Amino acid sequence: MCEDVNNDQTWIDPLIDKITKNIDEGLKDVRYEASIPTESFFLSDMLFLNITANFNNGTEKKMSINVVVKKPPSSACVREMANAEDQFHNEILFYQKYGKRYPEFPRCLYAEEKSPSDSVIVLENVIIQRGYDVTKWKYDIPLEYTLAALREIGRFHAKTYAMKEQHSDEFFDIVRNIKETRYFPGTNLQKILNVTGSRSVEYLRKQGYDAHICDKLEAEFQNAYENIILKVIEPEEPFATLCHGDWTINNTLFKRENGELKAMFIDFALMRFGSPVIDLSTFLCLHCAKEISKDMLDNVLKVYHDSLRKCLIENRVDCEKYSYEGLYEDFKKRGLFGFFIATFFLGIQMGKITRKPEDFIDMDPYNCGMELRSIGGDEISEILANMLLKLKDFGCLDHIL
């Protein structure tokens, strides 16, 4: 759903002029309709525009395009909480330095970085322009969607490997300019995750699971942010690549074309240089939490790796250093990353939250963590505990136990 924009348009009119000049200098009779999406909560201020114009070349040809305008949140509190200024820097960096190379990303029609709150990104609305759409599933998603998403993230990682090897100066220029927005000591996420991290162990202990293992896990998980997360995100060759950084179903669009389900990714504000497992484990632990098992991980990682390998070959990159065996070992080493994201976000993703997302913004981080830890009660605790044991079967706890 959207609502029409009837408020002050003084900032929109100059933006429209910049957008249309980027499209074609010879446009005239430019008109637009603006609306605000109301179906979801967005950290960014969002605006949908339908822009129409005539070409000033003596023909009857007209131009019509639908775009999404993103601006930092109007609330200074939210901007500070989300490190919005740095997030906008990263997304602009992605589209200007990487995304423009490839048609599988939304076309960026205009971007301006102007701190602290006047940055703007204008992207092609691929839902209207190309027929992609969000999926109704937020968790326990059908296997077809999981595999389509994994194949596409495999192609994305492969192309970034190709850029890293064949255009290393440009690639590492992007890497050097990425701003850390989430994973650094003292962030609110550190305080939240160290509260939610041991939820699964508490449940296992109540169920009479091995006390010695529970003691070891609890000691590690109570400081999961320092003991695990900050170590996992450190890039390590050869697998370090450009990661989406926030790869969830919320940032993945789908469409069916000639019978094939295709995926497209949006929202690269948290992109980073690191292991592809950062992306893979986040998606799998949030959206396939009940299905995770050793066999399932083996199967889906092979689908991902087959897509990665095929794209590497197409881009004339030596595949040997990116072997499935190497990926398997990297997942064992870093696969808990997505699990810990799930400890505070799975209940929200499954719709168990009773508060509005914006209610958490003003909360003290510890109380926020306690609130997130309790979402969904034993149902979510059991899912997390079972997922942890399945990751243990795969080898993700070998370095702890």
Side-chain angles (χ1 to χ4, degrees):
M1 297 291 291
C2 297
E3 62 182 29
D4 292 337
V5 177
N6 297 311
N7 57 354
D8 179 21
Q9 297 179 342
T10 55
W11 69 270
I12 301 179
D13 291 336
L15 179 63
I16 294 291
D17 187 51
K18 294 172 183 176
I19 295 169
T20 52
K21 283 182 178 177
N22 274 2
I23 295 173
D24 193 301
E25 288 280 357
L27 291 175
K28 64 177 183 176
D29 303 326
V30 178
R31 299 182 180 183
Y32 68 88
E33 295 178 354
S35 59
I36 300 172
T38 58
E39 286 186 324
S40 302
F41 171 74
F42 302 98
L43 281 177
S44 302
D45 287 351
M46 301 272 285
L47 187 68
F48 292 165
L49 295 175
N50 171 236
I51 305 171
T52 58
N54 296 320
F55 285 93
N56 190 21
N57 56 6
T59 70
E60 298 293 322
K61 190 175 180 183
K62 297 180 181 293
M63 185 278 299
S64 178
I65 190 167
N66 291 274
V67 301
V68 179
V69 178
K70 297 176 67 175
K71 289 177 64 68
S74 52
S75 165
C77 178
V78 176
R79 288 201 305 272
E80 182 180 357
M81 180 275 297
N83 292 318
E85 187 176 343
D86 290 345
Q87 288 200 27
F88 265 74
H89 166 86
N90 288 345
E91 187 150 25
I92 291 171
L93 176 69
F94 175 83
Y95 284 109
Q96 290 187 333
K97 299 292 187 179
Y98 184 85
K100 68 179 182 180
R101 297 166 172 263
Y102 302 105
E104 59 262 35
F105 301 109
R107 181 184 171 195
C108 182
L109 295 156
Y110 180 76
E112 182 178 13
E113 189 171 353
K114 198 172 181 181
S115 65
S117 60
D118 290 326
S119 293
V120 63
I121 305 171
V122 181
L123 299 170
E124 168 194 16
N125 187 330
V126 293
I127 291 178
I128 297 176
Q129 296 292 129
R130 297 203 226 172
Y132 283 88
D133 206 350
V134 295
T135 173
K136 66 180 180 179
W137 292 282
K138 298 300 180 185
Y139 61 96
D140 297 345
I141 66 176
L143 181 62
E144 181 186 22
Y145 284 80
T146 299
L147 297 182
L150 285 166
R151 291 188 183 101
E152 189 59 33
I153 202 72
R155 286 188 281 268
F156 171 54
H157 290 155
K159 289 181 179 180
T160 61
Y161 285 137
M163 185 180 182
K164 183 174 73 169
E165 294 195 11
Q166 297 166 357
H167 305 280
S168 62
D169 288 347
E170 295 173 59
F171 179 83
F172 284 105
D173 180 60
I174 295 174
V175 170
R176 282 190 297 271
N177 280 284
I178 296 173
K179 293 188 177 180
E180 183 57 74
T181 61
R182 180 174 281 184
Y183 302 109
F184 49 86
T187 180
N188 285 344
L189 181 59
Q190 175 181 7
K191 301 165 187 174
I192 291 170
L193 198 145
N194 284 347
V195 173
T196 64
S198 59
R199 176 179 182 174
S200 57
V201 182
E202 180 184 32
Y203 182 85
L204 287 172
R205 198 184 292 278
K206 287 180 180 177
Q207 302 305 309
Y209 193 73
D210 187 296
H212 178 66
I213 292 179
C214 285
D215 288 344
K216 280 191 169 185
L217 293 178
E218 188 169 45
E220 193 78 6
F221 289 7
Q222 283 180 341
N223 293 291
Y225 193 86
E226 300 91 325
N227 294 339
I228 297 171
I229 297 296
L230 292 182
K231 295 178 181 177
V232 164
I233 63 170
E234 285 299 313
E236 185 177 332
E237 296 295 353
F239 277 94
T241 190
L242 201 62
C243 299
H244 182 286
D246 191 25
W247 184 41
T248 67
I249 202 73
N250 308 318
N251 293 326
T252 308
L253 305 177
F254 296 90
K255 79 170 179 178
R256 198 171 295 279
E257 188 173 86
N258 299 322
E260 179 185 0
L261 189 65
K262 294 188 173 183
M264 174 185 282
F265 308 131
I266 58 173
D267 197 354
F268 288 83
L270 298 182
M271 75 165 173
R272 67 183 313 106
F273 181 53
S275 167
V277 176
I278 291 171
D279 285 341
L280 296 171
S281 65
T282 299
F283 189 93
L284 293 171
C285 289
L286 282 177
H287 308 302
C288 310
K290 295 179 184 177
E291 286 76 34
I292 281 182
S293 67
K294 186 178 185 304
D295 287 343
M296 179 268 197
L297 288 173
D298 252 335
N299 291 334
V300 298
L301 289 180
K302 283 176 181 172
V303 169
Y304 162 82
H305 189 264
D306 285 348
S307 178
L308 177 87
R309 188 174 187 278
K310 179 181 178 182
C311 191
L312 288 173
I313 292 171
E314 289 171 353
N315 285 275
R316 300 181 298 281
V317 175
D318 180 12
C319 299
E320 294 306 312
K321 67 175 73 172
Y322 307 111
S323 68
Y324 178 74
E325 293 73 22
L327 173 68
Y328 189 102
E329 289 303 313
D330 203 40
F331 199 95
K332 285 171 60 177
K333 183 177 180 180
R334 304 175 196 270
L336 285 179
F337 180 89
F339 172 78
F340 284 110
I341 300 298
T343 65
F344 67 84
F345 198 64
L346 180 62
I348 296 174
Q349 194 66 36
M350 292 182 64
K352 304 297 181 181
I353 187 173
T354 56
R355 292 178 178 268
K356 295 179 180 178
E358 50 265 43
D359 291 342
F360 289 92
I361 292 171
D362 295 324
M363 269 192 193
D364 169 84
Y366 176 80
N367 290 329
C368 181
M370 291 301 293
E371 182 86 14
L372 292 170
R373 183 183 174 110
S374 67
I375 289 176
D378 281 351
E379 179 187 358
I380 299 297
S381 295
E382 183 178 8
I383 293 172
L384 289 170
N386 288 337
M387 179 163 52
L388 180 63
L389 295 181
K390 297 301 183 182
L391 290 170
K392 174 179 176 292
D393 292 343
F394 190 81
C396 294
L397 298 180
D398 287 356
H399 61 291
I400 297 174
L401 302 176

